[in-house]
Amino acid sequence: ALLAAVWVLWLAVAIPSPGVVLMADGDDVRVAAVTAEAPRAGGLRPGDVVEALRSGSSRVELNGPDFLSEPDVAFNAVADYRGFLQRQERLAATLQRPSLGLHLADGSWVIAPMRSHRPLQDLPWAFWLQLLCGVLGLITGAAVFAYRQRDPASRYYALTGLGLAASALSAAVYSTREIALPMALFDNL
């Protein structure tokens, strides 16, 4: 359980971070939170509508579905889900530069300097809740199995705890992302 928690924490903080959390609002994308000091100085506030991201010469228009916390419920066709993952890859690529430009609906641009990682204090409460649920699933499943190893029900309960941990721990990373995750990581989670 400890190794799983450390691994999930590492995955959550390893992605470069602009200190800006974006969220879907229908087809619009809004700033949910600003955690870094530099974007605040540029006038970026929660509630601002962001139309595009720019990094170097690359510009990516934003869509509300790009920021769904649970994209598997939004896409009925596999092709649509693959398109979502490809957009995640393009958005994640914009995070690899030293700064990120955010084009606001009022026509202005805000430049957010990129941090090499996401600080632990920037992880939202939903991340910590999912981490706790995953770890508790592992611990309770193992505890029940440890005391009643020959009982088939305890084996099933241990398997259920493992499944709960797998789903909660992976969701902790992808559902609380600031902007995007690389396609391979998102798909594996």
Side-chain angles (χ1 to χ4, degrees):
L2 180 61
L3 287 175
V6 168
W7 178 69
V8 167
L9 279 167
W10 179 80
L11 284 175
V13 301
I15 305 297
S17 167
V20 178
V21 180
L22 301 178
M23 68 176 189
D25 183 15
D27 288 335
D28 291 334
V29 174
R30 293 192 181 275
V31 175
V34 180
T35 58
E37 293 300 322
R40 284 192 195 124
L44 192 61
R45 294 174 310 280
D48 286 346
V49 176
V50 182
E51 293 182 341
L53 299 178
R54 183 179 65 201
S55 181
S57 62
S58 174
R59 177 185 163 110
V60 181
E61 300 293 324
L62 299 180
N63 301 318
D66 293 332
F67 297 92
L68 295 173
S69 60
E70 293 293 339
D72 56 332
V73 298
F75 303 107
N76 295 326
V78 172
D80 294 338
Y81 183 68
R82 285 287 166 210
F84 165 79
L85 290 176
Q86 289 168 350
R87 286 195 48 83
Q88 283 290 301
E89 182 69 22
R90 285 188 62 210
L91 289 168
T94 65
L95 304 177
Q96 301 304 316
R97 304 252 186 192
S99 64
L100 179 69
L102 294 98
H103 183 240
L104 304 182
D106 65 8
S108 65
W109 282 92
V110 174
I111 304 299
M114 294 297 294
R115 301 175 287 185
S116 62
H117 66 282
R118 187 177 187 185
L120 281 176
Q121 67 267 19
D122 286 0
L123 294 172
W125 67 268
F127 172 85
W128 297 106
L129 178 63
Q130 291 172 342
L131 180 70
L132 179 65
C133 288
V135 167
L136 288 177
L138 278 175
I139 291 171
T140 58
V144 168
F145 178 72
Y147 290 104
R148 302 196 63 181
Q149 295 179 12
R150 289 192 171 86
D151 185 359
S154 70
R155 286 187 231 140
Y156 294 132
Y157 189 82
L159 188 59
T160 300
L162 185 61
L164 172 64
S167 64
L169 294 175
S170 63
V173 177
Y174 72 76
S175 70
T176 61
R177 66 195 183 279
E178 278 185 326
I179 294 181
L181 296 174
M183 181 171 69
L185 175 60
F186 206 123
D187 197 27
N188 286 328
L189 290 172

